[in-house]
Amino acid sequence: MVKTASAPRPALRRRGENPIASLTWPIFIELLLQMLVGNADQIMVGWYDPNSVGAIGNANQITNLLLIVFSVVCTAATILISQYIGAEDTRRVNETYAVSLLVNGLFGLGMGLLLMALCGPIFTLMQVPPEIFGETCLYIRIIGGGMVFQSVFLTYTAFFRSSQLMKESMLISVAMNLLNIAGNAVFINGAFGLPALGAAGAALSSDLSRMAGVVLIALRFRRRFGPVLKLDLLRPFPRDQLRRLLRIGLPTGGESLSYDLSQICIQSICNGFTLAVINTRVYANLFAMLSYMFASAVSQAAQVVVARLMGAEKTVETSRSVKRTLLAAVSISALVSTLLWVFCRPMLALFTQDAQVLELFQVIMLIEIPLELGRAVNLVMCRSLQACGDIRFPITICVISAWLTAVGGGLLLAVVFDLGLVGLWIAMACDECLRALLFLWRWHGGAWSRKRLLSM
């Protein structure tokens, strides 16, 4: 197969070199910046009205859940395109571009409409406190109106990552976040004579920044790859490519869906406590993301490299790469989570002076240390197994452990044994550590090395 500019294929590194290291940092920056689109809303709205933090925290639980729908296609596209590049199959690469963008665009429109129509019943089931119920619904309706921009942007990001061009989407994420922060400053507090919109202004700013991001990344894609997105690729419709995307994406999306549903249940349990406890969980999740983001960036870089190596049928190099990646992820997560615990009180004091929140937050961040160690292993091993084509095992383990250990154990410790938020966090740490052990056992068994994803 002759390679063309439509599928740039950066050369695999020489023996002994690890491409994951150079791919991780732009993914880390991009993930951090994407997270800030939502979390900048919480921080800046918190300065305007502290109670609005809980409103946006509850809304983000739902939006994070719906983003899994987009990840079904994005994750599958990343794995498939990477393996096709490893196998030097340019035609299949271009078909996957077209199908992925079409399907995720439709998903974005559909999910946005559902958010706007069903937010009331959803937040009633989640037992959102009455004092923030209306604001939570308004915020998520505005976010839902721009959900299609998020789905399209994430799809383009998957295309760049598949070709190991992580810096491209990272730079656009920088621009998006600068726009979002500027928009927050204008719309939340009502600058330049505009009315102060609070949480609604934060949602409007997020939508506008994501729309700008789609325009920028689409233009960059065409300049970098050429006119490869053509309607001719969809006539006749490449059903086999859609089938592969769904066969990979649905189970991998199911793993994320199970986890996020369990987090919504945990949020519902947390909503039965005081507003101070609800806000503590929001802040704890925000700070924990600093540790989580690095492990996630490493695992996503590993997924691209592993998929390309497996597409070229280089299993020995795959094993060596995953071992190095795992060591780096665990080491950095241990360091970051420990530093967060040591400095958690002065850091949180920048956002709140509530003594009850500060005291509880310090205990939660101590439990975060073992939780993040387990999560680092889970992220690397789960995505590596998926990239090799070992799809079913991760979702089975994640569903069972998330619901029995995190939700069931959390309910037992938080409510029955009256440990509150501390009990919820202990249960989540046990869930992450249990899954980590099971994933390591699966990788050691070697079943991944016998998978052939492109022949599915």
Side-chain angles (χ1 to χ4, degrees), residues 136-432:
T136 306
C137 285
L138 178 59
Y139 178 87
I140 205 168
R141 283 193 177 111
I142 298 174
I143 289 293
M147 191 60 67
V148 66
F149 303 127
Q150 183 77 339
S151 68
V152 173
F153 181 83
L154 291 174
T155 308
Y156 274 114
T157 298
F159 298 163
F160 281 108
R161 288 183 183 172
S162 301
S163 294
Q164 299 187 5
L165 299 172
M166 282 68 172
K167 295 179 184 178
E168 306 277 350
S169 54
M170 180 202 73
L171 293 173
I172 296 172
S173 290
V174 171
M176 282 176 59
N177 280 271
L178 291 175
L179 288 171
N180 183 62
I181 292 172
N184 281 347
V186 171
F187 296 121
I188 292 175
N189 296 295
F192 307 113
L194 296 173
L197 299 177
L204 178 60
S205 177
S206 295
D207 282 352
L208 292 175
S209 66
R210 286 166 179 160
M211 180 174 64
V214 167
V215 174
L216 291 173
I217 202 167
L219 291 174
R220 185 59 186 167
F221 179 85
R222 181 177 177 84
R223 182 174 181 180
R224 184 65 179 82
F225 293 84
V228 297
L229 288 173
K230 300 178 181 178
L231 290 177
D232 291 346
L233 295 169
L234 300 175
R235 295 195 298 262
F237 189 80
R239 299 177 186 272
D240 58 334
Q241 290 305 99
L242 177 61
R243 176 179 56 82
R244 287 190 179 95
L245 284 170
L246 296 180
R247 183 172 291 183
I248 299 169
L250 288 177
T252 56
E255 179 266 324
S256 298
L257 177 64
S258 173
Y259 179 80
D260 277 18
L261 282 174
S262 70
Q263 290 297 303
I264 289 177
C265 288
I266 291 171
Q267 179 70 55
S268 298
I269 296 172
C270 184
N271 285 338
F273 303 134
T274 65
L275 195 58
V277 174
I278 296 174
N279 288 341
T280 301
R281 182 173 191 266
V282 173
Y283 285 123
N285 283 335
L286 173 61
F287 278 75
M289 290 292 275
L290 295 174
S291 176
Y292 161 79
M293 281 297 168
F294 179 81
S296 182
V298 171
S299 67
Q300 290 188 42
Q303 188 174 63
V304 172
V305 173
V306 167
R308 185 171 294 192
L309 289 170
M310 289 298 289
E313 300 185 4
K314 298 181 178 181
T315 56
V316 175
E317 290 88 342
T318 298
S319 180
R320 186 184 300 117
S321 180
V322 169
K323 289 177 182 178
R324 285 197 298 255
T325 304
L326 185 61
L327 178 61
V330 171
S331 299
I332 298 297
S333 291
L335 176 62
V336 173
S337 58
T338 300
L339 290 174
L340 286 174
W341 171 62
V342 172
F343 298 105
C344 62
R345 286 185 74 98
M347 291 172 65
L348 185 60
L350 298 173
F351 307 104
T352 180
Q353 297 298 321
D354 189 320
Q356 184 181 355
V357 172
L358 289 169
E359 182 178 355
L360 180 58
F361 182 74
Q362 188 169 18
V363 177
I364 295 302
M365 295 311 293
L366 176 61
I367 304 171
E368 266 293 310
I369 297 175
L371 188 154
E372 293 301 332
L373 290 177
R375 181 150 59 183
V377 175
N378 291 337
L379 288 168
V380 172
M381 299 312 301
C382 182
R383 286 191 169 124
S384 296
L385 287 168
Q386 292 169 349
C388 294
D390 194 355
I391 306 295
R392 296 180 182 177
F393 182 84
I395 184 175
T396 302
I397 294 302
C398 288
V399 169
I400 294 174
S401 182
W403 290 98
L404 290 184
T405 309
V407 177
L411 186 62
L412 180 67
L413 294 176
V415 179
V416 178
F417 288 96
D418 199 27
L419 293 178
L421 191 63
V422 172
L424 290 175
W425 236 262
I426 291 173
M428 289 191 294
C430 291
D431 167 47
E432 297 287 354

Side-chain angles (χ1 to χ4, degrees), residues 1-9 88 90-91 94 224-225 228:
M1 178 70 66
V2 177
K3 297 188 288 290
T4 71
S6 62
R9 183 179 184 265
E88 303 186 26
T90 300
R91 182 179 64 85
N94 293 340
R224 184 65 179 82
F225 293 84
V228 297

